[in-house]
Amino acid sequence: MSTPTTMKGWFAYEATADPTAAVSGMKWVDMPVPACGPKQMLVKTTYAAINPIDWKMLMPVYQEMFPCTFPYVPGFDASGVVIAVGAEVTKFSLGDEICVDLGVKETCGPGHDVPAGGAFAEYFVTQEELTSKKPPSISFEHAAALPLAGMTSLQALVDQGSLQPGQKVLVLGGSSATGTYAIQLAKNCLGASETWTTASSNLTPAGSTKIDFCKALGAEVIDYKRANWWEVLAGKDFDLIYDCVGTPTDVAEASKVLKKGGIFVTIANFAAVASGDFTVKPLLVSSVAADCDKLLAWAVQGKITIPVDSVIGVEAVKDGLLKSIKMSDVSGKVVVKF
Ligand SMILES: NC(=O)c1ccc[n+]([C@@H]2O[C@H](COP(=O)([O-])OP(=O)(O)OC[C@H]3O[C@@H](n4cnc5c(N)ncnc54)[C@H](OP(=O)(O)O)[C@@H]3O)[C@@H](O)[C@H]2O)c1
């Protein structure tokens, strides 16, 4: 099969303070297939997955940290089939089935020889060192839904949170994609003795409440709309709080439930400052193939399930992003079929 030269993809044209406006301005257009460098591969997209960072990157505050040259193709999570390999690629061959988080840090900002993002298009370029082989028993759909949110929670619990077997963890926002992975990782893979979370009685697409959804994943749940977690859990001496929500006032309550010297890892509040005898660690995920491989292996073993909120067609990418902006509307990953 010869390598195509043109493709269709979603272009974002500008960053605006209102991400709804920036998403609404995106267009599905003809564009050149990106060039594949010596340590890179060209992949035919099978599925992509939507993450909040896709629309956050269309806001000036994120562009200050991770500038992209507009127009650019958003999207970081993807699965697909390798159709061209660079001359220095050693671990992958034509026809390999892969998945990847293309990486905010790894593709946006100066000094990268790959396009920013790129998952919301018919073909994308991926760097060999960031890419994982898709195990045969994991579908392309699930493989696209795992990398970014899964790695975020693995790095939050292990690298930043140093969670040890027998320790207690509180996940703020258990029905979020990152929260669902965190509950399962803590409970089934890392040996936490207690895994608590916050969720609401809002419904999932399958019709259960988000509270029941989180209980089914193995967490003990506090209905955050009816009770304050810092009151219900006061004095419980958690080793770790993992914040997937970013409510600014939550960090001030953390000392009521954390043990002395405990850790508060946040992925959604980069302004958080400790107000007691605990450490605050903001985290921005890194795309690390070894982490993704580990998550895929746990998925194959059935230790983590990959929560899919819904599968949408490529024509509905803007609707998926607008749904993500509303936050409450999702429970798990919105996945895009190409
Ligand atoms: N720093 C990083 O590297 C990194 C990586 C990934 C994600 N993030 C950030 O982390 C956050 C979560 O991302 P995600 O992809 O996991 O989100 P998501 O799947 O879009 O989260 C949506 C879920 O959050 C729940 N939720 C909303 N407000 C809540 C609250 N106050 N308490 C408990 N649950 C609440 C919603 O349920 P309800 O129906 O109850 O509202 C909904 O089920 C986002 O801000 C994202 O940008 C950061």
Side-chain angles (χ1 to χ4, degrees):
M1 176 182 166
S2 62
T3 308
T5 53
T6 59
M7 65 177 186
K8 288 265 192 197
W10 282 102
F11 258 153
Y13 292 90
E14 59 173 353
T16 62
D18 172 11
T20 301
V23 167
S24 300
M26 286 172 58
K27 290 199 172 103
W28 176 247
V29 293
D30 291 315
M31 58 181 74
V33 169
C36 170
K39 293 181 178 164
Q40 299 161 6
M41 300 167 296
L42 182 65
V43 178
K44 181 159 178 33
T45 317
T46 53
Y47 285 84
I50 286 177
N51 290 283
I53 191 67
D54 301 328
W55 52 264
K56 289 185 178 182
M57 288 294 291
L58 305 181
M59 299 170 75
V61 62
Y62 279 80
Q63 281 301 313
E64 277 166 27
M65 291 184 281
F66 300 105
C68 303
T69 304
F70 286 86
Y72 89 102
V73 178
F76 294 102
D77 268 338
S79 62
V81 178
V82 174
I83 62 158
V85 291
E88 294 172 27
V89 168
T90 57
K91 296 191 203 119
F92 293 86
S93 310
L94 294 183
D96 279 354
E97 299 179 347
I98 63 96
C99 62
V100 65
D101 163 16
L102 294 166
V104 178
K105 289 182 201 164
E106 292 78 9
T107 64
C108 303
H112 301 297
D113 62 352
V114 279
F120 299 157
E122 291 174 324
Y123 300 90
F124 62 88
V125 165
T126 182
Q127 305 177 62
E128 177 180 32
E129 62 172 350
L130 307 185
T131 308
S132 292
K133 283 194 181 151
K134 181 188 82 62
S137 62
I138 303 292
S139 67
F140 281 108
E141 173 188 316
H142 283 155
L146 181 66
L148 194 152
M151 285 195 284
T152 304
S153 292
L154 182 62
Q155 290 165 19
L157 297 181
V158 175
D159 302 346
Q160 301 298 315
S162 305
L163 186 67
Q164 302 298 318
Q167 290 191 330
K168 293 187 272 192
V169 60
L170 166 62
V171 177
L172 300 178
S175 68
S176 65
T178 47
T180 58
Y181 287 124
I183 292 168
Q184 300 179 83
L185 288 169
K187 188 99 187 141
N188 307 335
C189 308
L190 302 172
S193 60
E194 292 187 43
T195 304
W196 287 78
T197 197
T198 55
S200 71
S201 55
N202 290 347
L203 298 181
T204 69
S208 72
T209 67
K210 293 186 181 181
I211 293 170
D212 287 341
F213 174 65
C214 291
K215 282 184 181 164
L217 294 173
E220 303 189 62
V221 186
I222 294 163
D223 181 343
Y224 74 87
K225 293 200 173 173
R226 290 170 170 264
N228 293 323
W229 54 265
W230 57 90
E231 289 170 357
V232 178
L233 300 172
K236 221 167 170 357
D237 278 352
F238 280 90
D239 299 277
L240 174 63
I241 295 177
Y242 172 35
D243 170 28
C244 306
V245 178
T247 305
T249 48
D250 277 355
V251 70
E253 311 292 354
S255 61
K256 294 176 184 155
V257 310
L258 277 174
K259 73 175 189 188
K260 271 191 174 181
I263 301 175
F264 184 99
V265 177
T266 179
I267 56 168
N269 177 9
F270 292 105
V273 178
S275 53
D277 187 5
F278 64 96
T279 309
V280 171
K281 296 188 177 183
L283 166 72
L284 181 66
V285 64
S286 300
S287 180
V288 179
D291 284 352
C292 192
D293 292 343
K294 206 179 278 180
L295 291 160
L296 288 163
W298 279 328
V300 168
Q301 292 163 20
K303 290 185 173 175
I304 52 175
T305 55
I306 299 172
V308 171
D309 172 280
S310 47
V311 181
I312 59 176
V314 69
E315 72 290 346
V317 160
K318 288 205 284 191
D319 296 333
L321 289 165
L322 294 173
K323 182 171 168 167
S324 173
I325 290 173
K326 287 192 194 147
M327 209 166 174
S328 279
D329 285 359
V330 289
S331 42
K333 301 301 303 175
V334 176
V335 183
V336 184
K337 185 176 186 335
F338 275 78

